[in-house]
Amino acid sequence: MSVSPAQLGQVLSAFERNFRERNELGASVSVWWQGEEIFSAAQGHMDRTKSREWAESTLVPVYSATKGPASATLLMALEAKGMGPETLVREVWPAFPVAEATFAHLLSHQCGLAALDRRASVWDHTEVVAAVEVQEPAWRPGGGQGYHPRTFGALVEEPVRRLTGRTLGVHFREVLGEPLGLEFWIGLPESEHHRVATLYPGKADKSDLEEGFYSEFHKEGSLVRRAFSSPRGLHSVQEMNDPKAWSAGFPAMGGIGTAQALAKFYQAAIGAIESPLSPSVRAALAETRIQGDDRILMRETVFTCGCQKDPLDEAGNKKRRLYGTSAGAFGHPGAGGSHAFGDPETGLSFAYVMNQMELSVFPGPKSTEMIEGLFGE
């Protein structure tokens, strides 16, 4: 396919509408096609005082949009040791509590370790790992899937430390971030702190709280609530605005960067640019591992080794289009609305980041309307 000026015009129109009609404060969007950035827009302000203008170089926390680059980092570390998705986790991490689990199971949220019974602080990796090692899985591989919103960080961090002797964030910069020139960090250097925008939480209305996911999320003791509260700490947006959180390097939710960096990462992930990502790592990021009802997100999900895709019906048609029109497109959203993905079929990648968050489990109209315009919907 080719991308027409009209399609890019639709992206820009939707981007600008967010500021007029959807309470956007500051945001960036980046679109790449077959190795080149073909569209970029940045507008608004880095905080509500409006004293700092938002630019293409503005950095912002992207929450779970971190999971794609973090997963690629683990897959690269495994490959460097002659291992891969089918390797048993216990070959690297002997005390891992699910004996039959492979890294493919771990990266596709099939290990049943979304919630921890033992109290552990998100700031103490050793404590979290100890809690994981004694955790009885809520389900096991073959028993379905359930998104691991927070524990995913320790699940990918610990193997990378064992394989490389470095934190995941440091290894990411060495093997991916710096070679690709990505303005993206999992553990932000203090020298870049001045570039970070302030996040503002979304607001809930009554209908949000009554919906399936949020009903379970607010139910004391539910698996959903426990998954989003373990390990403990960093539960408020205000805490994520603390420079301590920017530098900590949490692989599940601590990535900070630009829209351009995320879109370029997915160009590498779909093989549209030369990169350190091998064909086998790209295939692991792209290939569906499981589709079904999600025990945590309370709706149908599709997971690859570290990314998400749109679910398909029996005829192979998409049931939703968060990742455009192609069945093979994959990526990962972040809490509040950030979103990024790549499409191997068209050679397109897309990323959107912002600082005025929305209350939504999946990407909302601020990004999906741009995606619809990009794919000529």
Side-chain angles (χ1 to χ4, degrees):
M1 73 170 273
S2 61
V3 183
S4 70
Q7 287 169 280
L8 298 180
Q10 289 291 321
V11 177
L12 179 60
S13 177
F15 180 75
E16 292 177 338
R17 186 178 302 116
N18 289 339
F19 287 88
R20 295 195 307 271
E21 302 175 7
R22 297 192 175 113
N23 199 36
E24 194 79 281
L25 177 60
S28 300
V29 60
S30 176
V31 178
W32 290 62
W33 180 52
Q34 296 183 354
E36 295 184 6
E37 187 179 39
I38 59 170
F39 179 82
S40 177
Q43 189 173 320
H45 296 88
M46 294 171 68
D47 57 45
R48 285 183 179 161
T49 67
K50 298 189 175 180
S51 60
R52 298 186 297 161
E53 289 193 2
W54 188 289
E56 289 182 0
S57 59
T58 296
L59 304 176
V60 67
V62 298
Y63 280 89
S64 286
T66 313
K67 288 184 169 76
S71 298
T73 305
L74 172 54
L75 288 165
M76 292 177 72
L78 287 166
E79 185 176 63
K81 297 292 187 181
M83 302 177 180
E86 307 311 323
T87 300
L88 289 172
V89 180
R90 282 192 174 179
E91 288 190 30
V92 176
W93 183 355
F96 191 72
V98 188
E100 69 272 32
T102 65
F103 281 99
H105 292 135
L106 182 152
L107 288 165
S108 58
H109 303 266
Q110 296 187 60
C111 289
L113 301 171
L116 302 176
D117 294 327
R118 178 185 287 188
R119 290 172 65 95
S121 169
V122 71
W123 299 100
D124 189 333
H125 175 72
T126 301
E127 190 174 73
V128 177
V129 167
V132 167
E133 290 177 348
V134 298
Q135 181 62 43
E136 181 65 30
W139 67 91
R140 288 180 175 273
Q145 77 249 45
Y147 184 54
H148 291 47
R150 295 167 65 86
T151 58
F152 190 87
L155 297 184
V156 295
E157 175 79 44
E158 181 65 10
V160 169
R161 291 190 183 193
R162 288 171 176 264
L163 289 163
T164 71
R166 294 191 289 261
T167 66
L168 186 146
V170 168
H171 196 61
F172 163 77
R173 286 302 303 171
E174 181 170 311
V175 300
L176 265 182
E178 291 175 8
L180 288 175
L182 301 181
E183 294 278 89
F184 189 85
W185 290 266
I186 306 171
L188 187 68
E190 189 174 345
S191 61
E192 309 299 327
H193 283 187
H194 66 283
R195 299 169 56 191
V196 182
T198 303
L199 291 174
Y200 296 93
K203 295 180 180 179
D205 60 33
K206 188 177 180 183
S207 63
D208 288 327
L209 301 179
E210 292 173 348
E211 189 241 345
F213 168 80
Y214 284 103
S215 174
E216 287 298 305
F217 180 80
H218 290 284
K219 187 181 296 181
E220 191 68 37
S222 71
L223 181 60
V224 173
R225 185 178 181 88
R226 290 172 55 231
F228 279 88
S229 59
S230 57
R232 302 178 64 82
L234 276 187
H235 298 300
S236 73
V237 173
Q238 183 178 353
E239 289 176 282
M240 194 60 83
N241 286 325
D242 186 336
K244 179 184 175 184
W246 305 341
S247 295
F250 299 116
M253 59 183 181
I256 296 177
T258 65
Q260 182 187 63
L262 280 172
K264 189 176 183 182
F265 165 77
Y266 280 103
Q267 282 287 286
I270 64 174
I273 58 175
E274 287 190 19
S275 82
L277 295 175
S278 69
S280 59
V281 169
R282 297 200 308 269
L285 292 169
E287 292 173 358
T288 297
R289 288 289 177 164
I290 191 165
Q291 173 175 331
D293 293 331
D294 195 293
R295 297 165 183 259
I296 305 299
L297 296 179
M298 307 294 289
R299 63 195 69 188
E300 194 169 15
T301 54
V302 179
F303 294 116
T304 71
C305 286
C307 290
Q308 297 188 29
K309 299 169 78 171
D310 289 319
L312 306 178
D313 63 20
E314 292 181 359
N317 300 311
K318 285 198 169 195
K319 296 183 178 182
R320 56 177 180 254
R321 291 186 172 179
L322 301 182
Y323 300 95
T325 55
S326 302
F330 62 95
H332 213 293
S338 55
H339 190 29
F341 68 92
D343 179 4
E345 183 177 316
T346 62
L348 279 164
S349 64
F350 168 94
Y352 159 75
V353 301
M354 75 301 127
N355 61 343
Q356 176 54 63
M357 301 171 68
E358 296 180 300
L359 196 73
S360 177
V361 177
F362 282 103
K366 287 201 295 183
S367 62
T368 58
E369 191 171 300
M370 286 188 278
I371 294 166
E372 288 166 4
L374 177 61
F375 286 86
E377 290 297 283

PDB file of all heavy atoms in Angstrom, residues 136-169:
ATOM      1  N   GLU A 136       1.632 -19.318  44.452  1.00  0.00           N
ATOM      2  CA  GLU A 136       0.858 -20.387  43.823  1.00  0.00           C
ATOM      3  C   GLU A 136       0.131 -19.783  42.624  1.00  0.00           C
ATOM      4  O   GLU A 136      -0.644 -18.832  42.772  1.00  0.00           O
ATOM      5  CB  GLU A 136      -0.159 -20.976  44.802  1.00  0.00           C
ATOM      6  CG  GLU A 136      -0.996 -22.110  44.240  1.00  0.00           C
ATOM      7  CD  GLU A 136      -0.184 -23.351  43.892  1.00  0.00           C
ATOM      8  OE1 GLU A 136       0.851 -23.589  44.547  1.00  0.00           O
ATOM      9  OE2 GLU A 136      -0.588 -24.070  42.956  1.00  0.00           O
ATOM     10  N   PRO A 137       0.358 -20.280  41.420  1.00  0.00           N
ATOM     11  CA  PRO A 137      -0.283 -19.684  40.244  1.00  0.00           C
ATOM     12  C   PRO A 137      -1.806 -19.754  40.327  1.00  0.00           C
ATOM     13  O   PRO A 137      -2.377 -20.753  40.780  1.00  0.00           O
ATOM     14  CB  PRO A 137       0.236 -20.534  39.084  1.00  0.00           C
ATOM     15  CG  PRO A 137       1.473 -21.183  39.605  1.00  0.00           C
ATOM     16  CD  PRO A 137       1.251 -21.390  41.066  1.00  0.00           C
ATOM     17  N   ALA A 138      -2.455 -18.680  39.887  1.00  0.00           N
ATOM     18  CA  ALA A 138      -3.922 -18.656  39.834  1.00  0.00           C
ATOM     19  C   ALA A 138      -4.442 -19.536  38.707  1.00  0.00           C
ATOM     20  O   ALA A 138      -5.585 -19.977  38.724  1.00  0.00           O
ATOM     21  CB  ALA A 138      -4.406 -17.224  39.662  1.00  0.00           C
ATOM     22  N   TRP A 139      -3.626 -19.783  37.709  1.00  0.00           N
ATOM     23  CA  TRP A 139      -3.878 -20.747  36.643  1.00  0.00           C
ATOM     24  C   TRP A 139      -2.516 -21.108  36.057  1.00  0.00           C
ATOM     25  O   TRP A 139      -1.519 -20.492  36.392  1.00  0.00           O
ATOM     26  CB  TRP A 139      -4.820 -20.173  35.568  1.00  0.00           C
ATOM     27  CG  TRP A 139      -4.225 -19.055  34.777  1.00  0.00           C
ATOM     28  CD1 TRP A 139      -3.525 -19.147  33.610  1.00  0.00           C
ATOM     29  CD2 TRP A 139      -4.248 -17.654  35.095  1.00  0.00           C
ATOM     30  NE1 TRP A 139      -3.102 -17.908  33.179  1.00  0.00           N
ATOM     31  CE2 TRP A 139      -3.550 -16.968  34.076  1.00  0.00           C
ATOM     32  CE3 TRP A 139      -4.796 -16.907  36.144  1.00  0.00           C
ATOM     33  CZ2 TRP A 139      -3.374 -15.586  34.084  1.00  0.00           C
ATOM     34  CZ3 TRP A 139      -4.626 -15.529  36.151  1.00  0.00           C
ATOM     35  CH2 TRP A 139      -3.933 -14.886  35.131  1.00  0.00           C
ATOM     36  N   ARG A 140      -2.506 -22.108  35.210  1.00  0.00           N
ATOM     37  CA  ARG A 140      -1.233 -22.559  34.644  1.00  0.00           C
ATOM     38  C   ARG A 140      -1.299 -22.546  33.115  1.00  0.00           C
ATOM     39  O   ARG A 140      -2.384 -22.460  32.551  1.00  0.00           O
ATOM     40  CB  ARG A 140      -0.908 -23.982  35.142  1.00  0.00           C
ATOM     41  CG  ARG A 140      -0.511 -24.009  36.622  1.00  0.00           C
ATOM     42  CD  ARG A 140      -0.195 -25.419  37.100  1.00  0.00           C
ATOM     43  NE  ARG A 140       0.299 -25.397  38.470  1.00  0.00           N
ATOM     44  CZ  ARG A 140       1.559 -25.222  38.824  1.00  0.00           C
ATOM     45  NH1 ARG A 140       2.496 -25.090  37.886  1.00  0.00           N
ATOM     46  NH2 ARG A 140       1.915 -25.201  40.085  1.00  0.00           N
ATOM     47  N   PRO A 141      -0.142 -22.633  32.446  1.00  0.00           N
ATOM     48  CA  PRO A 141      -0.153 -22.700  30.991  1.00  0.00           C
ATOM     49  C   PRO A 141      -1.102 -23.781  30.495  1.00  0.00           C
ATOM     50  O   PRO A 141      -1.104 -24.904  31.006  1.00  0.00           O
ATOM     51  CB  PRO A 141       1.304 -23.036  30.655  1.00  0.00           C
ATOM     52  CG  PRO A 141       2.089 -22.413  31.775  1.00  0.00           C
ATOM     53  CD  PRO A 141       1.234 -22.614  32.997  1.00  0.00           C
ATOM     54  N   GLY A 142      -1.922 -23.427  29.541  1.00  0.00           N
ATOM     55  CA  GLY A 142      -2.978 -24.310  29.075  1.00  0.00           C
ATOM     56  C   GLY A 142      -4.313 -23.972  29.701  1.00  0.00           C
ATOM     57  O   GLY A 142      -5.350 -24.463  29.246  1.00  0.00           O
ATOM     58  N   GLY A 143      -4.298 -23.132  30.732  1.00  0.00           N
ATOM     59  CA  GLY A 143      -5.528 -22.749  31.425  1.00  0.00           C
ATOM     60  C   GLY A 143      -6.014 -21.356  31.076  1.00  0.00           C
ATOM     61  O   GLY A 143      -6.778 -20.757  31.826  1.00  0.00           O
ATOM     62  N   GLY A 144      -5.560 -20.831  29.933  1.00  0.00           N
ATOM     63  CA  GLY A 144      -6.013 -19.523  29.507  1.00  0.00           C
ATOM     64  C   GLY A 144      -4.987 -18.438  29.794  1.00  0.00           C
ATOM     65  O   GLY A 144      -3.820 -18.721  30.074  1.00  0.00           O
ATOM     66  N   GLN A 145      -5.456 -17.188  29.713  1.00  0.00           N
ATOM     67  CA  GLN A 145      -4.566 -16.058  29.891  1.00  0.00           C
ATOM     68  C   GLN A 145      -5.182 -15.012  30.804  1.00  0.00           C
ATOM     69  O   GLN A 145      -6.391 -14.976  31.005  1.00  0.00           O
ATOM     70  CB  GLN A 145      -4.231 -15.401  28.542  1.00  0.00           C
ATOM     71  CG  GLN A 145      -5.330 -14.524  27.955  1.00  0.00           C
ATOM     72  CD  GLN A 145      -5.949 -15.116  26.732  1.00  0.00           C
ATOM     73  OE1 GLN A 145      -6.260 -16.291  26.680  1.00  0.00           O
ATOM     74  NE2 GLN A 145      -6.152 -14.283  25.717  1.00  0.00           N
ATOM     75  N   GLY A 146      -4.316 -14.181  31.357  1.00  0.00           N
ATOM     76  CA  GLY A 146      -4.743 -13.049  32.172  1.00  0.00           C
ATOM     77  C   GLY A 146      -3.603 -12.056  32.237  1.00  0.00           C
ATOM     78  O   GLY A 146      -2.484 -12.401  32.632  1.00  0.00           O
ATOM     79  N   TYR A 147      -3.874 -10.864  31.837  1.00  0.00           N
ATOM     80  CA  TYR A 147      -2.855  -9.822  31.750  1.00  0.00           C
ATOM     81  C   TYR A 147      -2.157  -9.638  33.088  1.00  0.00           C
ATOM     82  O   TYR A 147      -2.787  -9.559  34.126  1.00  0.00           O
ATOM     83  CB  TYR A 147      -3.539  -8.525  31.318  1.00  0.00           C
ATOM     84  CG  TYR A 147      -2.637  -7.346  31.088  1.00  0.00           C
ATOM     85  CD1 TYR A 147      -1.547  -7.429  30.226  1.00  0.00           C
ATOM     86  CD2 TYR A 147      -2.897  -6.130  31.699  1.00  0.00           C
ATOM     87  CE1 TYR A 147      -0.741  -6.334  29.989  1.00  0.00           C
ATOM     88  CE2 TYR A 147      -2.099  -5.020  31.469  1.00  0.00           C
ATOM     89  CZ  TYR A 147      -1.023  -5.124  30.609  1.00  0.00           C
ATOM     90  OH  TYR A 147      -0.232  -4.030  30.387  1.00  0.00           O
ATOM     91  N   HIS A 148      -0.808  -9.571  33.041  1.00  0.00           N
ATOM     92  CA  HIS A 148       0.010  -9.333  34.235  1.00  0.00           C
ATOM     93  C   HIS A 148       0.456  -7.867  34.195  1.00  0.00           C
ATOM     94  O   HIS A 148       1.543  -7.552  33.687  1.00  0.00           O
ATOM     95  CB  HIS A 148       1.243 -10.244  34.227  1.00  0.00           C
ATOM     96  CG  HIS A 148       0.950 -11.703  34.431  1.00  0.00           C
ATOM     97  ND1 HIS A 148      -0.047 -12.377  33.762  1.00  0.00           N
ATOM     98  CD2 HIS A 148       1.556 -12.634  35.232  1.00  0.00           C
ATOM     99  CE1 HIS A 148      -0.039 -13.653  34.141  1.00  0.00           C
ATOM    100  NE2 HIS A 148       0.916 -13.830  35.033  1.00  0.00           N
ATOM    101  N   PRO A 149      -0.361  -6.944  34.698  1.00  0.00           N
ATOM    102  CA  PRO A 149      -0.047  -5.518  34.499  1.00  0.00           C
ATOM    103  C   PRO A 149       1.229  -5.065  35.188  1.00  0.00           C
ATOM    104  O   PRO A 149       1.990  -4.280  34.622  1.00  0.00           O
ATOM    105  CB  PRO A 149      -1.275  -4.802  35.078  1.00  0.00           C
ATOM    106  CG  PRO A 149      -1.907  -5.777  36.008  1.00  0.00           C
ATOM    107  CD  PRO A 149      -1.622  -7.125  35.430  1.00  0.00           C
ATOM    108  N   ARG A 150       1.500  -5.585  36.392  1.00  0.00           N
ATOM    109  CA  ARG A 150       2.632  -5.084  37.183  1.00  0.00           C
ATOM    110  C   ARG A 150       3.702  -6.149  37.432  1.00  0.00           C
ATOM    111  O   ARG A 150       4.888  -5.863  37.342  1.00  0.00           O
ATOM    112  CB  ARG A 150       2.115  -4.525  38.510  1.00  0.00           C
ATOM    113  CG  ARG A 150       1.230  -3.288  38.323  1.00  0.00           C
ATOM    114  CD  ARG A 150       0.480  -2.941  39.608  1.00  0.00           C
ATOM    115  NE  ARG A 150       1.373  -2.546  40.679  1.00  0.00           N
ATOM    116  CZ  ARG A 150       1.833  -1.302  40.862  1.00  0.00           C
ATOM    117  NH1 ARG A 150       1.462  -0.316  40.060  1.00  0.00           N
ATOM    118  NH2 ARG A 150       2.633  -1.025  41.870  1.00  0.00           N
ATOM    119  N   THR A 151       3.294  -7.373  37.748  1.00  0.00           N
ATOM    120  CA  THR A 151       4.290  -8.414  37.999  1.00  0.00           C
ATOM    121  C   THR A 151       5.115  -8.721  36.753  1.00  0.00           C
ATOM    122  O   THR A 151       6.235  -9.241  36.863  1.00  0.00           O
ATOM    123  CB  THR A 151       3.631  -9.718  38.484  1.00  0.00           C
ATOM    124  OG1 THR A 151       2.674 -10.159  37.499  1.00  0.00           O
ATOM    125  CG2 THR A 151       2.934  -9.526  39.827  1.00  0.00           C
ATOM    126  N   PHE A 152       4.593  -8.393  35.582  1.00  0.00           N
ATOM    127  CA  PHE A 152       5.324  -8.615  34.335  1.00  0.00           C
ATOM    128  C   PHE A 152       6.722  -8.008  34.407  1.00  0.00           C
ATOM    129  O   PHE A 152       7.676  -8.547  33.833  1.00  0.00           O
ATOM    130  CB  PHE A 152       4.539  -7.996  33.170  1.00  0.00           C
ATOM    131  CG  PHE A 152       5.050  -8.359  31.800  1.00  0.00           C
ATOM    132  CD1 PHE A 152       4.610  -9.508  31.160  1.00  0.00           C
ATOM    133  CD2 PHE A 152       5.945  -7.540  31.129  1.00  0.00           C
ATOM    134  CE1 PHE A 152       5.064  -9.842  29.892  1.00  0.00           C
ATOM    135  CE2 PHE A 152       6.414  -7.861  29.863  1.00  0.00           C
ATOM    136  CZ  PHE A 152       5.965  -9.014  29.248  1.00  0.00           C
ATOM    137  N   GLY A 153       6.852  -6.908  35.127  1.00  0.00           N
ATOM    138  CA  GLY A 153       8.151  -6.251  35.241  1.00  0.00           C
ATOM    139  C   GLY A 153       9.215  -7.155  35.830  1.00  0.00           C
ATOM    140  O   GLY A 153      10.301  -7.315  35.265  1.00  0.00           O
ATOM    141  N   ALA A 154       8.921  -7.756  36.973  1.00  0.00           N
ATOM    142  CA  ALA A 154       9.883  -8.668  37.596  1.00  0.00           C
ATOM    143  C   ALA A 154      10.060  -9.934  36.769  1.00  0.00           C
ATOM    144  O   ALA A 154      11.157 -10.504  36.723  1.00  0.00           O
ATOM    145  CB  ALA A 154       9.425  -9.033  39.006  1.00  0.00           C
ATOM    146  N   LEU A 155       8.999 -10.370  36.098  1.00  0.00           N
ATOM    147  CA  LEU A 155       9.067 -11.606  35.314  1.00  0.00           C
ATOM    148  C   LEU A 155      10.024 -11.480  34.134  1.00  0.00           C
ATOM    149  O   LEU A 155      10.628 -12.469  33.712  1.00  0.00           O
ATOM    150  CB  LEU A 155       7.674 -12.006  34.818  1.00  0.00           C
ATOM    151  CG  LEU A 155       6.635 -12.339  35.890  1.00  0.00           C
ATOM    152  CD1 LEU A 155       5.337 -12.808  35.244  1.00  0.00           C
ATOM    153  CD2 LEU A 155       7.151 -13.395  36.879  1.00  0.00           C
ATOM    154  N   VAL A 156      10.165 -10.286  33.583  1.00  0.00           N
ATOM    155  CA  VAL A 156      11.138 -10.108  32.496  1.00  0.00           C
ATOM    156  C   VAL A 156      12.483  -9.583  33.009  1.00  0.00           C
ATOM    157  O   VAL A 156      13.534  -9.884  32.438  1.00  0.00           O
ATOM    158  CB  VAL A 156      10.590  -9.184  31.383  1.00  0.00           C
ATOM    159  CG1 VAL A 156       9.399  -9.826  30.712  1.00  0.00           C
ATOM    160  CG2 VAL A 156      10.239  -7.800  31.893  1.00  0.00           C
ATOM    161  N   GLU A 157      12.452  -8.820  34.092  1.00  0.00           N
ATOM    162  CA  GLU A 157      13.689  -8.244  34.635  1.00  0.00           C
ATOM    163  C   GLU A 157      14.625  -9.319  35.188  1.00  0.00           C
ATOM    164  O   GLU A 157      15.834  -9.310  34.909  1.00  0.00           O
ATOM    165  CB  GLU A 157      13.347  -7.256  35.749  1.00  0.00           C
ATOM    166  CG  GLU A 157      14.527  -6.657  36.483  1.00  0.00           C
ATOM    167  CD  GLU A 157      15.204  -5.531  35.719  1.00  0.00           C
ATOM    168  OE1 GLU A 157      14.500  -4.674  35.175  1.00  0.00           O
ATOM    169  OE2 GLU A 157      16.445  -5.529  35.668  1.00  0.00           O
ATOM    170  N   GLU A 158      14.090 -10.245  35.970  1.00  0.00           N
ATOM    171  CA  GLU A 158      14.947 -11.235  36.621  1.00  0.00           C
ATOM    172  C   GLU A 158      15.705 -12.106  35.614  1.00  0.00           C
ATOM    173  O   GLU A 158      16.922 -12.299  35.760  1.00  0.00           O
ATOM    174  CB  GLU A 158      14.128 -12.093  37.584  1.00  0.00           C
ATOM    175  CG  GLU A 158      14.926 -13.145  38.343  1.00  0.00           C
ATOM    176  CD  GLU A 158      15.973 -12.573  39.304  1.00  0.00           C
ATOM    177  OE1 GLU A 158      15.979 -11.339  39.546  1.00  0.00           O
ATOM    178  OE2 GLU A 158      16.791 -13.360  39.816  1.00  0.00           O
ATOM    179  N   PRO A 159      15.061 -12.634  34.567  1.00  0.00           N
ATOM    180  CA  PRO A 159      15.833 -13.412  33.589  1.00  0.00           C
ATOM    181  C   PRO A 159      16.903 -12.587  32.880  1.00  0.00           C
ATOM    182  O   PRO A 159      18.002 -13.095  32.622  1.00  0.00           O
ATOM    183  CB  PRO A 159      14.765 -13.892  32.599  1.00  0.00           C
ATOM    184  CG  PRO A 159      13.493 -13.878  33.371  1.00  0.00           C
ATOM    185  CD  PRO A 159      13.611 -12.709  34.304  1.00  0.00           C
ATOM    186  N   VAL A 160      16.592 -11.318  32.552  1.00  0.00           N
ATOM    187  CA  VAL A 160      17.612 -10.496  31.884  1.00  0.00           C
ATOM    188  C   VAL A 160      18.811 -10.289  32.802  1.00  0.00           C
ATOM    189  O   VAL A 160      19.965 -10.362  32.363  1.00  0.00           O
ATOM    190  CB  VAL A 160      17.014  -9.144  31.433  1.00  0.00           C
ATOM    191  CG1 VAL A 160      18.122  -8.182  30.981  1.00  0.00           C
ATOM    192  CG2 VAL A 160      16.011  -9.354  30.309  1.00  0.00           C
ATOM    193  N   ARG A 161      18.565 -10.051  34.083  1.00  0.00           N
ATOM    194  CA  ARG A 161      19.688  -9.901  35.026  1.00  0.00           C
ATOM    195  C   ARG A 161      20.512 -11.177  35.089  1.00  0.00           C
ATOM    196  O   ARG A 161      21.754 -11.129  35.136  1.00  0.00           O
ATOM    197  CB  ARG A 161      19.161  -9.537  36.412  1.00  0.00           C
ATOM    198  CG  ARG A 161      18.573  -8.137  36.490  1.00  0.00           C
ATOM    199  CD  ARG A 161      18.292  -7.753  37.933  1.00  0.00           C
ATOM    200  NE  ARG A 161      17.660  -6.439  38.027  1.00  0.00           N
ATOM    201  CZ  ARG A 161      17.530  -5.742  39.153  1.00  0.00           C
ATOM    202  NH1 ARG A 161      18.009  -6.251  40.300  1.00  0.00           N
ATOM    203  NH2 ARG A 161      16.948  -4.559  39.158  1.00  0.00           N
ATOM    204  N   ARG A 162      19.853 -12.332  35.093  1.00  0.00           N
ATOM    205  CA  ARG A 162      20.577 -13.596  35.181  1.00  0.00           C
ATOM    206  C   ARG A 162      21.348 -13.897  33.892  1.00  0.00           C
ATOM    207  O   ARG A 162      22.416 -14.497  33.930  1.00  0.00           O
ATOM    208  CB  ARG A 162      19.589 -14.731  35.486  1.00  0.00           C
ATOM    209  CG  ARG A 162      19.056 -14.692  36.922  1.00  0.00           C
ATOM    210  CD  ARG A 162      17.925 -15.696  37.132  1.00  0.00           C
ATOM    211  NE  ARG A 162      17.489 -15.701  38.525  1.00  0.00           N
ATOM    212  CZ  ARG A 162      17.900 -16.554  39.448  1.00  0.00           C
ATOM    213  NH1 ARG A 162      18.787 -17.496  39.128  1.00  0.00           N
ATOM    214  NH2 ARG A 162      17.445 -16.487  40.682  1.00  0.00           N
ATOM    215  N   LEU A 163      20.801 -13.486  32.771  1.00  0.00           N
ATOM    216  CA  LEU A 163      21.435 -13.766  31.478  1.00  0.00           C
ATOM    217  C   LEU A 163      22.574 -12.807  31.146  1.00  0.00           C
ATOM    218  O   LEU A 163      23.539 -13.187  30.476  1.00  0.00           O
ATOM    219  CB  LEU A 163      20.381 -13.691  30.366  1.00  0.00           C
ATOM    220  CG  LEU A 163      19.354 -14.832  30.327  1.00  0.00           C
ATOM    221  CD1 LEU A 163      18.158 -14.425  29.485  1.00  0.00           C
ATOM    222  CD2 LEU A 163      19.979 -16.109  29.779  1.00  0.00           C
ATOM    223  N   THR A 164      22.461 -11.551  31.602  1.00  0.00           N
ATOM    224  CA  THR A 164      23.405 -10.519  31.160  1.00  0.00           C
ATOM    225  C   THR A 164      24.220  -9.902  32.283  1.00  0.00           C
ATOM    226  O   THR A 164      25.235  -9.239  32.001  1.00  0.00           O
ATOM    227  CB  THR A 164      22.656  -9.372  30.450  1.00  0.00           C
ATOM    228  OG1 THR A 164      21.902  -8.619  31.412  1.00  0.00           O
ATOM    229  CG2 THR A 164      21.725  -9.902  29.370  1.00  0.00           C
ATOM    230  N   GLY A 165      23.769 -10.056  33.531  1.00  0.00           N
ATOM    231  CA  GLY A 165      24.445  -9.398  34.636  1.00  0.00           C
ATOM    232  C   GLY A 165      24.133  -7.919  34.738  1.00  0.00           C
ATOM    233  O   GLY A 165      24.755  -7.197  35.519  1.00  0.00           O
ATOM    234  N   ARG A 166      23.133  -7.455  33.956  1.00  0.00           N
ATOM    235  CA  ARG A 166      22.738  -6.053  33.974  1.00  0.00           C
ATOM    236  C   ARG A 166      21.236  -5.939  34.169  1.00  0.00           C
ATOM    237  O   ARG A 166      20.487  -6.897  33.929  1.00  0.00           O
ATOM    238  CB  ARG A 166      23.112  -5.375  32.644  1.00  0.00           C
ATOM    239  CG  ARG A 166      24.590  -5.275  32.392  1.00  0.00           C
ATOM    240  CD  ARG A 166      24.851  -4.364  31.211  1.00  0.00           C
ATOM    241  NE  ARG A 166      24.446  -4.979  29.958  1.00  0.00           N
ATOM    242  CZ  ARG A 166      25.280  -5.581  29.114  1.00  0.00           C
ATOM    243  NH1 ARG A 166      26.563  -5.669  29.420  1.00  0.00           N
ATOM    244  NH2 ARG A 166      24.855  -6.108  27.991  1.00  0.00           N
ATOM    245  N   THR A 167      20.786  -4.763  34.572  1.00  0.00           N
ATOM    246  CA  THR A 167      19.349  -4.538  34.613  1.00  0.00           C
ATOM    247  C   THR A 167      18.798  -4.526  33.196  1.00  0.00           C
ATOM    248  O   THR A 167      19.523  -4.271  32.220  1.00  0.00           O
ATOM    249  CB  THR A 167      18.996  -3.202  35.289  1.00  0.00           C
ATOM    250  OG1 THR A 167      19.489  -2.123  34.473  1.00  0.00           O
ATOM    251  CG2 THR A 167      19.577  -3.119  36.696  1.00  0.00           C
ATOM    252  N   LEU A 168      17.507  -4.772  33.075  1.00  0.00           N
ATOM    253  CA  LEU A 168      16.883  -4.782  31.755  1.00  0.00           C
ATOM    254  C   LEU A 168      17.019  -3.425  31.084  1.00  0.00           C
ATOM    255  O   LEU A 168      17.298  -3.336  29.877  1.00  0.00           O
ATOM    256  CB  LEU A 168      15.415  -5.198  31.870  1.00  0.00           C
ATOM    257  CG  LEU A 168      14.670  -5.399  30.550  1.00  0.00           C
ATOM    258  CD1 LEU A 168      13.642  -6.513  30.675  1.00  0.00           C
ATOM    259  CD2 LEU A 168      14.006  -4.107  30.058  1.00  0.00           C
ATOM    260  N   GLY A 169      16.816  -2.342  31.846  1.00  0.00           N
ATOM    261  CA  GLY A 169      16.902  -1.016  31.259  1.00  0.00           C
ATOM    262  C   GLY A 169      18.276  -0.692  30.699  1.00  0.00           C
ATOM    263  O   GLY A 169      18.403  -0.110  29.613  1.00  0.00           O
TER     264      GLY A 169
END
